[in-house]
Amino acid sequence: MSSIPHDHAHGHDHDHHHPTGLMRWITTTNHKDIGSMYLWFSFIMFLAGGVMALTIRAELFQPGLQVVNPELFNALTTLHGLVMVFGAIMPAFVGFANWMIPLMIGASDMAFARMNNWSFWLLPPAGLLLIGSFFVPGGAPGVGWTLYPPLTIQMGMGMDMAIFAIHILGMSSIMGSINIITTILNMRAPGMTLMKMPLFCWTWLITAYLLIAVMPVLAGAVTMLLTDRHFGTSFFNAAGGGDPVLFQHIFWFFGHPEVYIVILPGFGVVSQVIPAFSRKPLFGYASMVYATAAIAILSFVVWAHHMFTAGMPVAGLLFFMYATMLIAVPTGVKVFNWLATMWRGAITFEAPMLFSLGFIFLFTFGGFSGLVLSIVAIDIVLHDTYYVVAHFHYTMVAGALFSAYAALYYWLPKWTGHMYDETLAKWHFWLSLIFFNITFFVQHFLGLAGMPRRIPDYALQFAEFNLISTIGAFGFGITQLLALYIVLKCIKGGEKAPAKPWDGAEGLEWTVPSPAPYHTFEEPPVVR
Amino acid sequence: MSQQHAPYYYVPQPSRWPIVGSIAVGLLGTGAALWMNKIGAGPYVVLAGFAVLLYMLFGWFGTVIAESESGQYSKRVDASFRWSMSWFIFSEVMFFAAFFGALFYARVLSVPDLSSLEHQALLWEGFKGTWPSAGPYITEAFTPMGAWGIPAINTLLLLTSGVTLTWAHHGLLHNNRGQLKLGLFLTILLGAVFLALQVYEYIHAYQDLNLKLTSGIFGSTFFMLTGFHGFHVTLGATMLVVILVRAMKGHFKPENHFAFEAVAWYWHFVDVVWLLLFVVVYWL
Amino acid sequence: MALRAVKQFLKMDVRTVMNHKATWWARASAATAALVFAGVAHAERQLNMKLPVTQAGQTMYDLHTLMLVICAVIFVGVFGVMFYSLYAHRKSVNKNVATFHESHLVEVVWTVIPFVILLVMAFPATKAIIAMRDTSNPDLTIKVTGYQWKWGYDYLKGEGEGVRLVSNLSTPQDQIFDRTAKGENYLLEVDNPLVVPVGKKVRILTTADDVIHAWYVPELAVQQDATPGFIRDTWFKAEKVGTYRGQCAKLCGKDHAYMPIVVNVVSEADYAKWVGEQKKKMAAAGDNPDKTWTVPELVARGEKAFAANCAACHQANGRGLPPAFPSLVGSKVVTGPVAGHVDILLNGRAGTAMASFKQLSDVELAALVAYTRQSWGNKVDEIVQPADIKAIREGGKPGKQAAAKANGAAS
Ligand code: HEA
Ligand code: HEA
Ligand code: CUA
Ligand SMILES: [Cu+2]
């Protein structure tokens, strides 16, 4: 695959007029520009989704209805889920991929620079459709990010906007993934064999495969929703011989791999950061690669663990339970490898390391709650309660989001040419860590006590923990503004960053100066 | 531009086509949403969207073709195209998989379940879960589409079109431009006839068989699968036309003609999907 | 056996931890709570699952305890190692940095051991699940139907066969909008609870009329989705007399938070008594569908029915919450031909939140027609008698459109 003859000709000429101002960003074909745009878009979406989350938490501050009405509450829950997953986390990691993969494998740019630009510029229209749905008659869909029919059928125009937004996001993800796969398979520098590739590239390669495998499936599912809504088909309608549960199967066939799409690049980041700050090579590189692949493959056969209460034959329940539990093994391998990497290293605790350690600690915790949920008999009483909400915020906020922050602080010097403010960054970590747990740890208790999710109002017995959770949420929220400040400060100035600001760091990205010049590796470096 | 030696890896200059494409898609999404909710502007917004989309497609592919013809694309770029096309087709396969999955689920799980004793006793008395089915409540009768009429013919058409396309490819490889153009032309013709027959079949279904999109799960899966496939045939045929035009302009060399191969791959993929359709939708 | 031991152990241990945490939470929250509003501070605090009152529930509870313990042990082990390493191998102290980066032996070990641990978890889980799904030969079979936003209970087989209840939230709006203090069972109280005998295997068949709901009662360790158009089942056998409360667990729209479940588990004797009363009530209250009602009678009856079935969406003043829930004041349907009016009540309206109300009695429906046509300034004389409704009903199955609606497809 990578053995295509390299004809070493001169790189392409620069003396082209480059548009400036806004047009530069709109028309750019430069992976660094596009990476930055992805990251900014993702952070804006994060703030949007966060404000929704805080509104939700405000309503749940105490029993009774005070802040929003139930319809709006459901809409907020739905959009919070969609915006955070599709608008904040996924684009964030695509942004890191755009910035770093070419630098890590010694390529001059992404394989399809123009299509790369389109992948990004498809996001704003999608984002507008999603957020815009709040302002149309009937409001945003209040069906949950899982879009279960028949409730979906009852919604107004906002539902259709969400559906088309998902179509567009799908296009974007598929093009982006094809771009990443092609770049990695076809543009590695001479001598950079697959098994020499930084792990971040590996996890992204596998993530990209997951994406092109399941995004079209989601598109198909929402298309059927659309025809059921407007063209009288009966895919999810028992009256016509269809079945609402069919949608659940198709959605989760997408949905479970999706959650690994969210976390795998994070695994990659942590696998770059831990060795760098332990000043010791990554332990078990090969097994890391195999474990990632194993997780990806298993993720296709566990989807029904989201449907244990839908009514399934015992055989089905058992199969999906066993398959789900199995995922603990490869994930465990990763956790253990990270520990072994630190073992007898020379560890220091800069912000990227702190966020990576926070990641390992809290993600594993979330993994365990996942394991508890995978036991059918237990899931029966915990399904659709706050225990699940707690589980997936441990995996997605303390998991995906923390690893994203680790990546941010790890590569920020390379992007801006300045060191970020380490003290503030440490504050950002510790405050996030504390407020995160205040927000979500207590939600386990709520779930165990039987508080259902997606409710704007609750019985008195849940009052105290909800109150605590809300306080934590606002603390966490404000803390995130600190991150924004740190980034802006770092862009504006600060101590000059050397080409390799982390003495333990490895890889081609540290061989180019900081800030990384606009064009890099036009003549591929040779890796031994 | 003259045939200079290709750069190591061609990275295109800034381009406005992507943003044009995004505007098009945005218009299409918004317009469709409006239209489906019977809000006046809808159809026009969609129309505008299509217009912009066409403009973008022409412009973008125009640029790509120009770059390719001016020898900007090295072997490595060519390899990139091959990877990307294969994985694009894979994603299409998964798209179809969702609809095939729905058909399978309905036939094997939901319909039999709805006719189980308990369901008959409590919800759908007297429902026979025999396929083809429109479900327990949709009383309107319909006749399913038989396999051995038009569908069989269509199968032959598509299979032949696969052959003629390969024949055309051989023409290209042996620099026999006449064979190339004739082969392409025949392929497009067969594709067009296939589509015409599909249209006729739909009319027949609606008028004579009372088989509609609203005919329960059978109608739903039937029209969704065949329709989605028909849409892909249309795309494939359009791309073939482009290739034919380019062939007439003297584009493509025996050693370098990936555009042709890409479209050929796509066409064969659509072909294979049809075979699957023929078996599980019409025949069984 | 071993499980019991584990549980005992954990019970003690957790309690100490609990108390510890408890006081902690108490301080943390009571302080804030005091500022917010009193009452909360006194609310019960719950750190673990409620102790279930069924055998299946017990096994589930023990399973969870087992999982908790195993995971806790692994967690402490794994992170004990990590924090030790962070401490002992920090740059400032660790001068002899190692360079090893693989060891097939340990990698195999930490692949195999977790696998074995999983087996330990899977074994009891499998047994529990097989028992849990065995709904065969019940003593009592009840069909539970989810409506937006209430529950319907039909006693199908066993003692009490034929009894039918509709169970609505009974918490007053004033409490929800903080106009009055909240009762202790705020949002977990209903007008007609489900009543079942203690120590009997009760099989629950779930289905729904409009969208998916889920019948969830933690202490009975049951949660089963109620899917429109399908029958799914679960079962429980309560070992303790008492009142057990739960909620609809699947997002089902506007009032998802407001369709609680209350199950009264009573002694056999009390159950028999209850069934007797229900039968009598139904005979008596059974508003006679065959007599011809006067308009005022119908309107009076209709006001009750409206409050119980319609006001949630269309509001007591009939003005609804447009666009989702249209106003009935001067509405085309209500002021139009009565046939259309009856049809929408029986069949609902496809693609909207207007559900079918065919579950209501002929009298109730006729009464609703009369009431809505003669209230809030609506003045339409054309109304129907219960008998007419009966006739219309027997006009055969509802049409496709109705069915489509019942299962939520657009027309
Ligand atoms: C980043 C996202 C992410 C990740 C990584 C995971 C990981 C896992 N999840 Fe999670 N999950 C979600 C996101 C995620 N989940 C979301 C969003 C939902 C809710 C969707 C919705 O309904 O809205 C959900 C819901 C969900 C459910 C359904 C709950 C319900 O609705 O009733 C279940 C049930 O099985 C589950 C299980 C698991 C398991 C077993 C893992 C495993 O992969 C975890 C494996 C990791 C470990 C186990 C820890 C490390 C391992 C070791 C240290 C080795 C030693 C350990 C042992 C041998 C035990 N998840
Ligand atoms: C990766 C994805 C992701 C992320 C990052 C988050 C982040 C957060 N989530 Fe999210 N959540 C989901 C994915 C995610 N969530 C999903 C998929 C669901 C399920 C949806 C469904 O049920 O359909 C869900 C559901 C969900 C619920 C349950 C809602 C319900 O069931 O009704 C709650 C409730 O507490 C919640 C809370 C939060 C909070 C407090 C944060 C915080 O971490 C957010 C912190 C960020 C900010 C606050 C923004 C930054 C700050 C500002 C913008 C400044 C303004 C702030 C102040 C003035 C204080 N989430
Ligand atoms: Cu009914 Cu939620
Ligand atoms: Cu999952």
Side-chain angles (χ1 to χ4, degrees):
Chain A
M1 45 186 70
S2 57
S3 62
I4 289 137
H6 331 294
D7 40 316
H8 284 274
H10 63 287
H12 69 272
D13 42 339
H14 292 214
D15 47 39
H16 279 273
H17 69 290
H18 274 276
T20 52
L22 184 59
M23 277 322 267
R24 165 191 170 187
W25 297 100
I26 289 180
T27 62
T28 181
T29 53
N30 178 287
H31 71 101
K32 303 184 180 75
D33 286 353
I34 294 172
S36 309
M37 288 197 292
Y38 263 109
L39 290 168
W40 279 114
F41 177 83
S42 131
F43 195 80
I44 292 164
M45 281 291 147
F46 175 62
L47 296 191
V51 170
M52 297 177 200
L54 292 176
T55 322
I56 291 169
R57 281 316 323 170
E59 175 56 60
L60 294 173
F61 185 61
Q62 46 173 287
L65 290 179
Q66 298 88 10
V67 182
V68 294
N69 64 28
E71 291 97 325
L72 181 54
F73 183 91
N74 293 343
L76 286 166
T77 297
T78 308
L79 268 286
H80 164 70
L82 289 172
V83 165
M84 282 300 196
V85 172
F86 293 101
I89 297 300
M90 287 167 71
F93 283 104
V94 182
F96 293 125
N98 264 287
W99 246 107
M100 300 319 294
I101 287 179
L103 285 178
M104 287 176 142
I105 65 174
S108 56
D109 203 303
M110 297 293 280
F112 302 102
R114 226 172 352 219
M115 185 170 86
N116 197 18
N117 171 301
W118 201 26
S119 303
F120 170 77
W121 278 107
L122 279 173
L123 296 182
L128 286 176
L129 278 170
L130 274 182
I131 309 278
S133 65
F134 273 110
F135 307 102
V136 300
V143 296
W145 82 292
T146 51
L147 310 176
Y148 282 9
L151 187 58
T152 331
I153 311 295
Q154 293 182 354
M155 293 295 140
M157 173 172 172
M159 190 69 239
D160 302 309
M161 294 170 77
I163 288 174
F164 290 122
I166 289 172
H167 279 129
I168 299 175
L169 289 164
M171 287 171 63
S172 165
S173 297
I174 290 168
M175 286 192 286
S177 311
I178 290 176
N179 219 335
I180 288 173
I181 293 174
T182 312
T183 309
I184 291 179
L185 292 184
N186 192 37
M187 295 181 71
R188 275 169 291 121
M192 165 87 62
T193 62
L194 280 171
M195 291 310 270
K196 276 193 199 160
M197 207 163 58
L199 213 75
F200 178 72
C201 303
W202 256 115
T203 52
W204 243 118
L205 179 63
I206 290 165
T207 305
Y209 279 119
L210 287 178
L211 273 167
I212 51 176
V214 297
M215 270 308 191
V217 176
L218 176 65
V222 293
T223 308
M224 287 186 260
L225 278 183
L226 196 70
T227 55
D228 268 16
R229 278 171 57 78
H230 294 292
F231 307 111
T233 54
S234 314
F235 289 106
F236 311 128
N237 169 5
D243 181 351
V245 176
L246 164 60
F247 177 87
Q248 300 178 19
H249 280 290
I250 304 178
F251 179 89
W252 288 117
F253 181 84
F254 147 82
H256 190 83
E258 169 67 18
V259 305
Y260 295 105
I261 289 166
V262 166
I263 203 69
L264 288 185
F267 286 170
V269 169
V270 173
S271 307
Q272 302 296 128
V273 171
I274 296 284
F277 296 91
S278 309
R279 292 159 185 79
K280 188 160 155 293
L282 179 67
F283 184 89
Y285 175 94
S287 60
M288 280 296 210
V289 172
Y290 302 139
T292 315
I295 293 173
I297 291 160
L298 279 172
S299 73
F300 283 105
V301 292
V302 301
W303 74 86
H305 66 218
H306 296 272
M307 305 161 56
F308 283 151
T309 61
M312 233 186 291
V314 179
L317 294 174
L318 290 176
F319 170 81
F320 285 107
M321 176 176 82
Y322 298 148
T324 305
M325 294 173 81
L326 264 187
I327 297 189
V329 174
T331 319
V333 167
K334 286 186 153 296
V335 172
F336 299 138
N337 281 341
W338 289 322
L339 297 197
T341 307
M342 294 182 247
W343 191 255
R344 297 191 40 219
I347 305 168
T348 52
F349 300 95
E350 291 82 350
M353 184 61 164
L354 287 176
F355 272 103
S356 299
L357 294 172
F359 169 96
I360 300 179
F361 188 67
L362 294 174
F363 171 78
T364 301
F365 194 97
F368 283 153
S369 57
L371 212 58
V372 171
L373 287 168
S374 72
I375 306 294
V376 178
I378 302 174
D379 183 66
I380 292 298
V381 280
L382 294 183
H383 175 65
D384 270 336
T385 67
Y386 263 76
Y387 192 92
V388 177
V389 177
H391 158 66
F392 66 74
H393 283 91
Y394 267 77
T395 51
M396 295 208 293
V397 178
L401 185 62
F402 275 26
S403 58
Y405 279 130
L408 179 71
Y409 290 124
Y410 186 54
W411 285 314
L412 206 48
K414 179 57 60 189
W415 302 336
T416 63
H418 305 124
M419 298 308 286
Y420 57 86
D421 183 330
E422 189 61 54
T423 348
L424 282 182
K426 286 206 167 74
W427 273 101
H428 175 216
F429 169 73
W430 287 110
L431 290 174
S432 296
L433 186 78
I434 293 162
F435 284 124
F436 169 83
N437 283 291
I438 296 178
T439 311
F440 294 108
F441 188 72
V442 293
Q443 291 185 358
H444 291 102
F445 301 137
L446 289 172
L448 288 168
M451 173 175 170
R453 58 195 281 202
R454 300 167 172 174
I455 56 174
D457 190 2
Y458 49 83
L460 298 181
Q461 80 202 57
F462 306 126
E464 281 184 326
F465 290 136
N466 271 296
L467 177 144
I468 294 167
S469 180
T470 299
I471 295 170
F474 276 77
F476 190 89
I478 294 165
T479 308
Q480 303 321 306
L481 295 178
L482 187 56
L484 179 59
Y485 173 74
I486 296 171
V487 172
L488 294 174
K489 185 158 177 256
C490 179
I491 293 173
K492 276 242 264 353
E495 176 198 343
K496 280 237 129 300
K500 185 159 170 282
W502 315 117
D503 55 340
E506 298 284 341
L508 289 174
E509 75 258 45
W510 308 112
T511 63
V512 302
S514 306
Y518 199 64
H519 293 287
T520 38
F521 297 129
E522 289 171 290
E523 287 303 331
V526 176
V527 182
R528 268 150 277 87
Chain B
M1 222 163 137
S2 66
Q3 296 281 356
Q4 57 163 106
H5 183 35
Y8 174 76
Y9 195 96
Y10 177 77
V11 178
Q13 291 306 312
S15 161
R16 69 175 190 287
W17 297 122
I19 193 70
V20 176
S22 299
I23 293 169
V25 174
L27 286 172
L28 285 171
T30 321
L34 291 167
W35 197 349
M36 289 176 181
N37 294 277
K38 321 213 168 20
I39 296 175
Y44 309 101
V45 182
V46 171
L47 214 63
F50 266 115
V52 182
L53 188 66
L54 283 178
Y55 170 63
M56 176 276 248
L57 290 171
F58 272 98
W60 194 323
F61 281 104
T63 322
V64 173
I65 291 166
E67 286 165 356
S68 161
E69 287 302 307
S70 62
Q72 293 287 342
Y73 292 164
S74 60
K75 279 253 176 338
R76 193 171 271 270
V77 178
D78 189 68
S80 289
F81 282 131
R82 292 169 188 280
W83 280 118
S84 56
M85 191 63 194
S86 342
W87 292 116
F88 169 66
I89 289 178
F90 173 70
S91 72
E92 289 271 38
V93 171
M94 293 310 288
F95 209 140
F96 273 100
F99 299 130
F100 277 109
L103 175 62
F104 170 85
Y105 186 93
R107 288 184 68 159
V108 179
L109 295 165
S110 64
V111 169
D113 195 3
L114 285 164
S115 60
S116 72
L117 289 177
E118 203 128 55
H119 285 78
Q120 295 217 10
L122 294 168
L123 292 173
W124 314 113
E125 66 175 302
F127 171 56
K128 311 243 168 325
T130 50
W131 192 261
S133 165
Y137 239 150
I138 296 182
T139 41
E140 219 173 327
F142 67 88
T143 338
M145 186 67 59
W148 300 111
I150 296 173
I153 301 173
N154 270 344
T155 313
L156 287 178
L157 288 177
L158 276 194
L159 288 176
T160 341
S161 76
V163 177
T164 53
L165 188 57
T166 317
W167 186 65
H169 195 189
H170 279 284
L172 175 49
L173 289 172
H174 305 108
N175 221 340
N176 176 345
R177 310 290 298 188
Q179 182 180 335
L180 165 61
K181 290 171 203 158
L182 180 59
L184 277 170
F185 176 73
L186 288 176
T187 316
I188 295 167
L189 191 69
L190 289 163
V193 178
F194 171 93
L195 285 173
L197 285 178
Q198 278 298 79
V199 173
Y200 172 80
E201 180 187 272
Y202 279 12
I203 296 169
H204 173 60
Y206 265 76
Q207 288 181 346
D208 315 332
L209 306 180
N210 192 34
L211 170 57
K212 305 199 176 80
L213 194 59
T214 51
S215 306
I217 191 68
F218 183 84
S220 309
T221 47
F222 175 83
F223 284 103
M224 183 59 94
L225 277 161
T226 55
F228 197 58
H229 175 266
F231 167 66
H232 280 72
V233 176
T234 322
L235 283 185
T238 328
M239 293 194 283
L240 282 169
V241 172
V242 175
I243 297 298
L244 177 57
V245 174
R246 286 186 63 186
M248 296 205 218
K249 280 199 187 156
H251 290 186
F252 308 129
K253 285 175 245 51
E255 66 285 356
N256 171 8
H257 50 262
F258 179 67
F260 180 100
E261 291 176 80
V263 176
W265 292 356
Y266 194 79
W267 191 255
H268 291 311
F269 149 70
V270 173
D271 210 344
V272 174
V273 172
W274 172 261
L275 291 183
L276 214 61
L277 272 175
F278 180 70
V279 176
V280 300
V281 176
Y282 293 95
W283 187 358
L284 298 180
Chain C
M1 202 59 245
L3 275 175
R4 282 261 165 284
V6 171
K7 199 175 121 233
Q8 287 316 325
F9 154 77
L10 190 90
K11 269 271 182 46
M12 320 176 349
D13 162 283
V14 159
R15 215 176 282 108
T16 44
V17 181
M18 263 171 33
N19 298 338
H20 182 84
K21 278 221 192 67
T23 49
W24 194 95
W25 295 133
R27 259 192 250 98
S29 48
T32 5
L35 301 174
V36 186
F37 63 89
V40 176
H42 309 305
E44 104 193 42
R45 207 172 298 106
Q46 173 107 29
L47 291 179
N48 198 348
M49 295 182 169
K50 297 207 182 75
L51 259 172
V53 294
T54 67
Q55 196 47 59
Q58 261 308 328
T59 10
M60 181 277 295
Y61 187 91
D62 297 344
L63 256 175
H64 177 258
T65 313
L66 174 71
M67 294 293 293
L68 217 61
V69 173
I70 297 180
C71 291
V73 171
I74 301 173
F75 197 78
V76 172
V78 170
F79 290 99
V81 173
M82 182 172 103
F83 285 114
Y84 170 78
S85 171
L86 293 183
Y87 172 77
H89 305 140
R90 60 191 198 279
K91 189 167 175 223
S92 46
V93 297
N94 185 16
K95 295 297 165 235
N96 61 334
V97 179
T99 53
F100 65 86
H101 57 82
E102 64 185 350
S103 151
H104 292 298
L105 177 62
V106 293
E107 288 175 47
V108 170
V109 168
W110 66 43
T111 312
V112 173
I113 292 182
F115 185 76
V116 176
I117 299 175
L118 291 177
L119 290 181
V120 176
M121 295 170 167
F123 183 67
T126 308
K127 284 212 317 241
I129 292 159
I130 290 168
M132 181 187 86
R133 292 301 303 156
D134 171 17
T135 56
S136 57
N137 40 39
D139 305 306
L140 180 59
T141 305
I142 302 173
K143 178 170 149 230
V144 175
T145 312
Y147 304 98
Q148 284 171 313
W149 291 269
K150 55 183 170 290
W151 293 99
Y153 298 114
D154 297 83
Y155 289 64
L156 293 181
K157 264 202 233 67
E159 187 178 5
E161 187 168 334
V163 172
R164 185 170 200 307
L165 312 165
V166 174
S167 183
N168 281 290
L169 173 75
S170 61
T171 302
Q173 291 284 311
D174 285 354
Q175 289 189 18
I176 294 173
F177 291 101
D178 297 343
R179 292 193 212 95
T180 59
K182 297 178 167 40
E184 68 165 325
N185 292 322
Y186 176 69
L187 295 191
L188 295 179
E189 48 202 349
V190 298
D191 51 7
N192 306 309
L194 179 68
V195 179
V196 298
V198 69
K200 290 259 187 278
K201 183 170 186 179
V202 181
R203 179 167 179 241
I204 297 287
L205 303 179
T206 61
T207 186
D209 183 60
D210 30 48
V211 302
I212 303 177
H213 304 263
W215 200 76
Y216 172 42
V217 184
E219 284 148 299
L220 300 178
V222 292
Q223 179 179 173
Q224 180 58 55
D225 292 7
T227 311
F230 287 84
I231 299 284
R232 291 288 175 257
D233 68 344
T234 181
W235 68 278
F236 65 86
K237 183 167 168 193
E239 252 116 44
K240 238 166 88 234
V241 170
T243 304
Y244 306 110
R245 303 171 190 275
Q247 284 174 264
C248 174
K250 262 283 172 299
L251 178 57
C252 52
K254 177 172 152 287
D255 286 352
H256 165 56
Y258 301 109
M259 51 186 294
I261 299 155
V262 177
V263 181
N264 281 347
V265 176
V266 299
S267 72
E268 287 213 43
D270 295 354
Y271 181 70
K273 202 150 119 279
W274 178 81
V275 170
E277 287 161 10
Q278 290 303 310
K279 289 267 161 78
K280 265 202 234 72
K281 255 218 218 96
M282 284 163 64
D287 354 51
N288 172 0
D290 306 324
K291 89 171 213 231
T292 343
W293 292 54
T294 70
V295 177
E297 279 176 335
L298 280 175
V299 172
R301 181 73 184 78
E303 188 160 10
K304 283 207 219 75
F306 189 87
N309 300 291
C310 322
C313 298
H314 293 294
Q315 307 300 311
N317 62 7
R319 280 187 168 58
L321 301 166
F325 308 113
S327 164
L328 301 179
V329 182
S331 104
K332 277 200 201 53
V333 178
V334 175
T335 56
V338 77
H341 197 168
V342 175
D343 176 72
I344 198 173
L345 290 179
L346 279 173
N347 303 332
R349 168 72 56 83
T352 72
M354 179 61 190
S356 155
F357 283 86
K358 54 182 184 309
Q359 74 271 12
L360 299 183
S361 75
D362 297 343
V363 175
E364 283 172 309
L365 288 171
L368 280 173
V369 173
Y371 175 66
T372 46
R373 285 175 169 249
Q374 308 250 326
S375 314
W376 323 299
N378 290 349
K379 289 195 189 41
V380 190
D381 300 336
E382 187 198 10
I383 59 160
V384 286
Q385 287 295 333
D388 307 330
I389 304 271
K390 198 156 189 235
I392 299 172
R393 273 194 211 260
E394 279 149 8
K397 278 184 175 179
K400 158 156 154 265
Q401 135 108 10
K405 165 67 201 91
N407 302 268
S411 59

